[in-house]
Amino acid sequence: MFALVDCNNFYASCERVFRPDLNGKPVVVLSNNDGCIIARSNEAKKHIPMGAPAFKFKDVIQKNKVHVFSANFSLYGDMSHRVMSILEDLAPEIEIYSIDEAFLKYGQSPYLNFQAEGEKISNRIKRSTGIPVSVGYAPTKALSKVANAIAKKFPERTNSVYIIDSEEKRIKALKWLKIEDVWGIGRKNSAKLKLINVYTAFDFTQISPLWVKKHLSITGLQLQNELLGIPNLDLDVYGTKKSIATTRTFERNYSDFDQIKERVSTFAIKNAEKLRRQKSVCNTMMIFVHTNGFRKDLQQYAQNIVFKLPYASNSSIELSKFAVEGLRKIFKEGYLYKKAGVIVMDLEDEKHLQMRLFDNSNPKHKPLMETMDRINHRYGNAKLKLANQDLKRTWKMNQEQLSPQYTTKLSDIITVKSE
């Protein structure tokens, strides 16, 4: 039996833990630079769609007295760690799926009362962290996602715990779930499926497996089997990341190549640090830039480039150089750029790296990078930088509504006054 434990409206819930006066009131959390709305409380969902540009809904926010917060990722990351630590104590096996979700696996547990178990998990997390969660149980991971959606949609009727443990419940749940809401389907595939009259998860289980494999690949076929109650997916064993990305929205539009070059170089260096942390090297890199899609009055441009590196590396010096070379190939004058990013892929363990006959990473970089990492770790991030980085900045974001870092910054710890 699998369970999916999902924190309800996680970012908004984190803010409410330290602001209980906001319980029952609409709350939204903004993305980097206070651009788009990335999290909403149930009360805010009635008025504002997910991903909405904040500036377009300014009047709606004011009219409905919506409380707005800038993304406080230090707080959210720490709260997530607390929730996952509790789950690791309560479950025999766990896969941390995202910052606010985790799959649990119980194996053969014929005598376990899953309703009581789910309520125990929910109560323990709520009591220890203040974060509300929903729990869904089912024989497969995909069905546990469906069960969780039901628990979240009908918390009063389910006590935030739902179990798909019979064929009748499975079919009823799948007929209720829209195809676009099925885990792993996505917008493009749901549009494709609707063309052949597939509108629910149940419809999806009724179409030919051959069609699914042809149009949605083996991944789609595995998903179909999972929804039929046939286990195809197990818990992912924790390991190193298969790709690493650093992407940012700029605090303002950039048109100058040197400005974007500095940012892209910094993103590549950040990726290099993450690679060294997990003892990996990369063989492939992707660079992308694009303008502000919400500014229809401006010329639009978006481009990316993926290229194989001449040799595997995790050196900040080398990855920064490769990133700038890639940027030169896709940058165009005359546009106002709003976002850029660097993704490193095709990773391998640095211990198993095969040396090439001619081109290889400079061996002198390894002790230099180790020294830089050690100093930056001891004295704070980015105390040491490369010369092509802006020495006066780490990363500037518009965060006008940032809440205190209650759990990670000593000066922001709540002070209790007694008389």
Side-chain angles (χ1 to χ4, degrees):
M1 202 72 163
F2 289 91
L4 176 68
V5 181
D6 187 8
C7 301
N8 300 340
N9 309 320
F10 181 58
Y11 292 172
S13 294
C14 288
E15 299 292 351
R16 281 175 163 174
V17 168
F18 301 94
R19 288 284 307 278
D21 59 303
L22 298 182
N23 288 332
K25 297 178 182 179
V27 174
V28 298
V29 177
L30 305 179
S31 62
N32 289 337
N33 293 310
D34 292 349
C36 298
I37 291 161
I38 58 172
R40 306 163 296 162
S41 67
N42 289 335
E43 298 80 6
K45 291 176 182 178
K46 303 172 185 176
H47 310 293
I48 305 171
M50 178 64 96
F55 75 93
K56 285 189 176 182
F57 285 80
K58 187 175 181 180
D59 292 340
V60 175
I61 289 171
Q62 291 178 346
K63 179 182 176 181
N64 294 281
K65 298 181 179 179
V66 178
H67 297 265
V68 181
F69 291 91
S70 302
N72 189 339
F73 292 118
S74 295
L75 173 64
Y76 309 152
D78 184 67
M79 295 299 288
S80 172
H81 175 71
R82 295 174 187 226
V83 170
M84 299 308 166
S85 296
I86 293 170
L87 290 177
E88 288 172 348
D89 287 340
L90 294 175
E93 295 182 69
I94 180 173
E95 173 197 335
I96 299 175
Y97 184 67
S98 68
I99 192 171
D100 61 347
E101 292 178 282
F103 286 104
L104 313 179
K105 186 178 180 182
Y106 288 88
Q108 299 298 323
S109 306
Y111 303 110
L112 185 60
N113 185 328
F114 288 109
Q115 182 69 36
E117 181 69 13
E119 291 177 8
K120 182 178 79 172
I121 290 172
S122 177
N123 293 335
R124 171 81 178 274
I125 292 174
K126 179 69 174 177
R127 186 175 66 252
S128 300
T129 69
I131 301 293
V133 302
S134 298
V135 187
Y137 287 96
T140 69
K141 288 177 75 175
L143 283 175
S144 72
K145 270 273 192 180
V146 179
N148 185 278
I150 295 172
K152 186 169 291 187
K153 182 69 174 179
F154 308 103
E156 294 84 10
R157 287 160 55 181
T158 64
N159 204 17
S160 296
V161 179
Y162 191 73
I163 307 150
I164 297 177
D165 54 1
S166 69
E167 187 67 2
E168 181 184 1
K169 282 187 174 182
R170 183 187 72 83
I171 293 173
K172 186 178 180 180
L174 296 186
K175 287 183 176 180
W176 169 79
L177 189 66
K178 296 177 182 179
I179 187 61
E180 58 265 30
D181 295 330
V182 174
W183 179 42
I185 289 294
R187 185 177 60 187
K188 290 184 179 180
N189 285 334
S190 64
K192 187 187 300 183
L193 287 163
K194 287 178 181 179
L195 293 175
I196 60 170
N197 298 318
V198 173
Y199 297 100
T200 67
F202 180 76
D203 295 337
F204 179 64
T205 62
Q206 301 305 297
I207 60 178
S208 165
L210 294 176
W211 188 96
V212 174
K213 185 176 181 180
K214 178 180 178 181
H215 295 278
L216 303 181
S217 77
I218 190 67
T219 303
L221 185 60
Q222 289 176 331
L223 176 59
Q224 186 185 49
N225 286 332
E226 286 264 318
L227 294 175
L228 286 166
I230 305 169
N232 273 221
L233 304 172
D234 205 346
L235 297 187
D236 285 342
V237 178
Y238 176 79
T240 56
K241 294 181 179 180
K242 297 178 181 178
S243 65
I244 295 174
T246 301
T247 68
R248 294 289 187 274
T249 300
F250 305 142
E251 73 275 12
R252 56 185 173 81
N253 293 326
Y254 285 167
S255 60
D256 184 70
F257 175 81
D258 287 337
Q259 290 176 315
I260 302 176
K261 181 183 76 171
E262 191 277 333
R263 291 289 83 199
V264 166
S265 176
T266 296
F267 300 161
I269 291 167
K270 191 69 177 177
N271 285 349
E273 292 170 355
K274 294 177 182 178
L275 283 170
R276 295 195 294 273
R277 202 174 300 144
Q278 69 173 37
K279 308 297 182 184
S280 297
V281 292
C282 71
N283 290 279
T284 303
M285 181 178 285
M286 174 181 175
I287 314 295
F288 74 83
V289 292
H290 63 69
T291 53
N292 189 343
F294 295 114
R295 291 289 303 274
K296 303 302 181 184
D297 57 318
L298 300 176
Q299 284 188 305
Q300 299 296 315
Y301 174 73
Q303 189 58 272
N304 69 74
I305 182 172
V306 180
F307 53 95
K308 196 84 172 176
L309 304 185
Y311 46 82
S313 176
N314 60 16
S315 162
S316 295
I317 298 172
E318 292 167 345
L319 295 190
S320 172
K321 184 185 82 170
F322 296 142
V324 171
E325 290 174 357
L327 177 64
R328 291 187 190 279
K329 295 179 181 179
I330 60 174
F331 178 84
K332 282 189 177 182
E333 297 281 355
Y335 292 95
L336 295 176
Y337 293 92
K338 188 61 176 177
K339 188 173 184 177
V342 178
I343 304 172
V344 292
M345 303 170 285
D346 192 11
L347 310 187
E348 59 181 303
D349 191 325
E350 65 178 1
K351 293 180 180 178
H352 302 147
L353 181 63
Q354 295 292 320
M355 301 299 289
R356 302 188 182 193
L357 184 59
F358 297 108
D359 293 328
N360 287 288
S361 179
N362 190 332
K364 294 182 179 179
H365 290 183
K366 184 175 177 60
L368 175 61
M369 295 298 107
E370 289 175 349
T371 301
M372 288 185 65
D373 290 342
R374 187 164 58 251
I375 292 174
N376 284 334
H377 177 72
R378 181 172 181 178
Y379 296 104
N381 288 334
K383 291 297 182 183
L384 288 181
K385 296 184 177 183
L386 299 188
N388 62 352
Q389 293 180 268
D390 186 337
L391 301 181
K392 296 181 180 179
R393 70 185 279 183
T394 51
W395 177 247
K396 296 178 182 178
M397 289 195 296
N398 293 324
Q399 292 181 303
E400 297 178 358
Q401 312 292 333
L402 186 65
S403 59
Q405 298 176 25
Y406 299 102
T407 63
T408 59
K409 191 174 181 180
L410 193 60
S411 60
D412 286 348
I413 292 176
I414 290 177
T415 302
V416 178
K417 297 181 179 179
S418 61
E419 296 182 358

